[in-house]
Amino acid sequence: MRSLIHDGKLTPGNRLPPEREMCERFGVSRVTVREALRVLEANGLVEIRVGAHGGAFVTQPTSDRVGASIVDLLTLSSVTAGEVTEVRMVLELGIIPLLCGNADDDDIAALEDICDRQEAALASGEYDVSLSAEFHTRLAAATHNTAFEMLVRSFHGPLLMSLATAQKTAPEMGKRGLEEHRAILAAIQDGDAETGTRIMREHLSRTADRLCLEEPARKTTRTRKAVSSPAGAAPGSSRAR
């Protein structure tokens, strides 16, 4: 059934055949079919409805459900916050040129609103890293590339985890982060991808530096080297401090 959905033979809104028909088609018992449906429902691929017009219907998986699965996978796999930052470096540096070309007035207004709320939270002493995560997630939406947006949204939980870990070593991180958020936004408005990429690299590199104080040296040393080197730099090259 999963293959039929992935192959597009069953699309969102389609009703799956009755249990008896699926038993005959796949040569399995009704218990097996019901267990398969429960698995598909848990993964967000089908919705079970009751009543006269009920049944199993194909749904569109949401980024929230995908994100929850990614969080579970990362947790069970003992993935570190430093490794999450490595992924962020690849994703978030890569979208800056897209943002410079695609972000519209509504996107800019939404990002400015997040920055304003960050500033207000800092002033009241109630700053939370979720505001930073919200800014980075909204950046992805401003690319107007559905694939990027869904990927970054699904990564929201791990992003929060890495930011919270970094904040343990630098409780004051919000103020500097806000300054960099505004600078990134200004570069995007100016269509200056080079400046935006440079600031984003510095922004993420600081997070990596903080993680080096929190996590085992073996993984974070590698992370620090990876995020400190400009894109395309030769192995062993150093970034000016």
Side-chain angles (χ1 to χ4, degrees):
M1 288 188 283
R2 187 189 298 270
S3 295
L4 291 173
I5 294 171
H6 288 172
D7 293 342
K9 296 177 181 177
L10 290 172
T11 59
N14 286 166
R15 180 177 180 175
L16 296 182
E19 289 183 2
R20 178 178 297 178
E21 183 178 332
M22 286 193 283
C23 289
E24 295 174 354
R25 178 173 181 177
F26 297 113
V28 296
S29 68
R30 182 164 291 189
V31 172
T32 300
V33 168
R34 289 176 178 174
E35 179 61 26
L37 290 174
R38 281 195 289 269
V39 172
L40 291 174
E41 184 179 31
N43 288 315
L45 292 176
V46 303
E47 175 187 5
I48 308 298
R49 304 175 192 171
V50 298
H53 300 288
F57 294 82
V58 179
T59 61
Q60 181 70 50
T62 65
S63 56
D64 288 341
R65 187 180 291 272
V66 173
S69 297
I70 291 177
V71 172
D72 290 341
L73 177 62
L74 292 176
T75 300
L76 294 173
S77 301
S78 299
V79 172
T80 69
E83 289 171 328
V84 171
T85 302
E86 286 184 336
V87 175
R88 291 185 63 198
M89 184 63 97
V90 174
L91 290 176
E92 298 191 57
L93 291 182
I95 68 174
I96 295 296
L98 282 176
L99 289 167
C100 290
N102 297 346
D104 58 27
D105 291 342
D106 289 340
D107 296 319
I108 298 301
L111 289 163
E112 287 178 338
D113 175 70
I114 296 171
C115 288
D116 290 342
R117 285 190 281 119
Q118 284 182 282
E119 186 171 356
L122 285 167
S124 65
E126 299 178 352
Y127 180 77
D128 189 273
V129 293
S130 61
L131 285 168
S132 179
E134 182 182 354
F135 179 85
H136 287 272
T137 301
R138 187 60 181 82
L139 273 179
T143 64
H144 296 276
N145 180 308
T146 304
F148 266 127
E149 182 179 359
M150 289 191 67
L151 184 58
V152 174
R153 282 188 180 278
S154 70
F155 213 64
H156 184 76
L159 170 56
L160 279 176
M161 178 265 287
S162 67
L163 291 173
T165 301
Q167 191 180 38
K168 291 179 183 179
T169 61
E172 77 290 349
M173 65 183 291
K175 182 178 179 181
R176 178 71 179 276
L178 172 59
E179 293 172 353
E180 290 171 338
H181 285 176
R182 291 197 184 279
I184 291 168
L185 186 53
I188 291 170
Q189 286 180 283
D190 292 340
D192 188 348
E194 182 177 352
T195 297
T197 300
R198 175 180 57 77
I199 297 171
M200 180 67 82
R201 181 180 292 110
E202 293 172 355
H203 186 61
L204 296 179
S205 293
R206 284 193 310 105
T207 298
D209 288 342
R210 287 164 179 164
L211 293 176
C212 287
L213 301 177
E214 181 69 20
E215 296 185 338
R218 182 178 63 83
K219 286 188 176 181
T220 52
T221 298
R222 176 171 55 84
T223 300
R224 185 175 183 176
K225 289 180 178 179
V227 299
S228 297
S229 299
S237 62
S238 61
R239 178 169 59 91
R241 295 290 180 180

